């Protein structure tokens, strides 16, 4: 009898090249609304100073989203740097991750061209949360399948804690942005607290793990 056919894992090089291409395209799409704005400014006979003044919101939204996508990409590169095999579930996790990255230019264009309202903030920051959730899913999967990577499990555990901290801070930023309109998207500066929040999440998880060990009854004598 022959052994059952097993689908071989995807090649890591092709996988990472595809992700890099998707990220590059998404970052390029961010500039398109500004290119159109330049054409409109030229038709309206605006000066350079007037252009920068009238489209300051678009410029800020472009810079913010460009920085965020670059940060997500660097995190993705770090997460998959030591991965040697890509399985089908891991592919679908990354398809979800890439979908959020490709979608981000849409709420970015809204942020720069449509008057700010609560739903706009939910769409924009919600997209960032979705990206971070996909990153978290990838980290958990890799932590549970150490045979796919040469990195020690502690590396992925640290990454998962960082992802959890980022999700908490994104959610807090969304809450502040919606409830305190005067602060708005400046609430995203809460992400600067990622390191201390990661340490807090780590302590809480270790404390819960110790409590669980204490409460687990030993073998009967």
């Amino acid at each position: 009898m022959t052994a059952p056919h097993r689908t071989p894992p995807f090649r890591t090089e092709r996988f990472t090249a595809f992700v890099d291409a998707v990220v590059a395209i998404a970052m390029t799409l961010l500039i398109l609304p500004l290119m159109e704005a330049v054409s409109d400014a030229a038709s309206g006979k605006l000066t350079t100073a007037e252009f920068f003044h009238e489209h300051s919101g678009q410029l800020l939204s472009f810079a913010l989203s460009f920085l965020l996508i670059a940060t997500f990409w660097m995190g993705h590169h770090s997460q998959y740097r030591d991965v040697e095999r890509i399985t089908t579930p891991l592919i679908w996790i990354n398809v979800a991750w890439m979908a959020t990255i490709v979608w981000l230019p849409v709420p970015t264009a809204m942020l720069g061209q449509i008057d700010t309202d609560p739903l706009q903030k939910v769409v924009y920051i919600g997209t960032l949360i979705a990206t971070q959730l996909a990153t978290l899913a990838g980290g958990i999967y890799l932590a549970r399948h150490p045979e796919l990577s040469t990195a020690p499990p502690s590396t992925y555990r640290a990454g998962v804690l960082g992802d959890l901290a980022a999700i908490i801070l994104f959610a807090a930023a969304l809450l502040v942005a919606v409830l305190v309109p005067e602060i708005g998207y400046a609430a995203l500066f809460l992400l600067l607290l990622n390191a201390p929040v990661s340490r807090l999440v780590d302590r809480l998880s270790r404390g819960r793990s110790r409590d669980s060990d204490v409460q687990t009854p030993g073998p009967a004598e």
Side-chain angles (χ1 to χ4, degrees):
M1 294 180 64
T2 59
H5 176 71
R6 296 182 61 186
T7 303
F10 292 85
R11 293 182 59 185
T12 307
E13 296 81 4
R14 188 170 185 180
F15 161 77
T16 54
F18 179 53
V19 172
D20 290 349
V22 169
V23 171
I25 291 171
M27 296 178 82
T28 303
L29 290 174
L30 292 173
I31 200 66
L32 294 183
L34 281 171
M35 299 297 292
E36 295 177 3
V38 170
S39 298
D40 294 340
S43 300
K45 306 298 183 183
L46 297 182
T47 65
T48 302
E50 290 172 336
F51 168 79
F52 280 108
H53 176 72
E54 290 193 10
H55 296 279
S56 58
Q58 280 183 279
L59 292 165
L60 288 173
S61 63
F62 163 77
L64 175 61
S65 294
F66 193 93
L67 177 62
L68 286 169
I69 291 179
T71 301
F72 282 131
W73 175 80
M74 286 186 283
H76 187 277
H77 173 73
S78 177
Q79 187 177 66
Y80 289 88
R81 179 177 52 219
D82 299 311
V83 174
E84 295 185 330
R85 292 190 296 151
I86 305 295
T87 62
T88 299
L90 206 52
I91 283 289
W92 284 110
I93 290 172
N94 279 272
V95 166
W97 184 87
M98 288 184 286
T100 66
I101 294 294
V102 171
W103 167 253
L104 189 58
V106 177
T108 299
M110 293 179 184
L111 190 156
Q113 301 181 60
I114 300 176
D115 291 339
T116 302
D117 57 66
L119 181 57
Q120 182 191 101
K121 296 171 184 175
V122 170
V123 173
Y124 186 82
I125 301 179
T127 300
L128 303 178
I129 293 174
T131 305
Q132 201 68 60
L133 284 170
T135 303
L136 174 64
I140 292 174
Y141 185 88
L142 289 169
R144 292 181 175 179
H145 296 81
E147 73 279 1
L148 299 177
S149 173
T150 58
S154 59
T155 298
Y156 293 109
R157 183 180 184 279
V160 166
L161 293 175
D163 294 334
L164 287 172
I167 290 169
I168 292 170
L169 292 172
F170 273 130
L174 176 58
L175 190 63
V176 171
V178 170
L179 297 181
V180 190
E182 295 79 9
I183 295 179
Y185 292 103
L188 288 170
F189 280 110
L190 285 171
L191 290 170
L192 296 175
L193 299 174
N194 186 272
V197 174
S198 294
R199 289 193 291 270
L200 175 61
V201 172
D202 185 26
R203 285 198 295 270
L204 291 174
S205 65
R206 290 180 186 276
R208 179 173 296 182
S209 177
R210 284 195 296 268
D211 292 342
S212 177
D213 292 340
V214 170
Q215 294 174 7
T216 301
E221 295 183 357

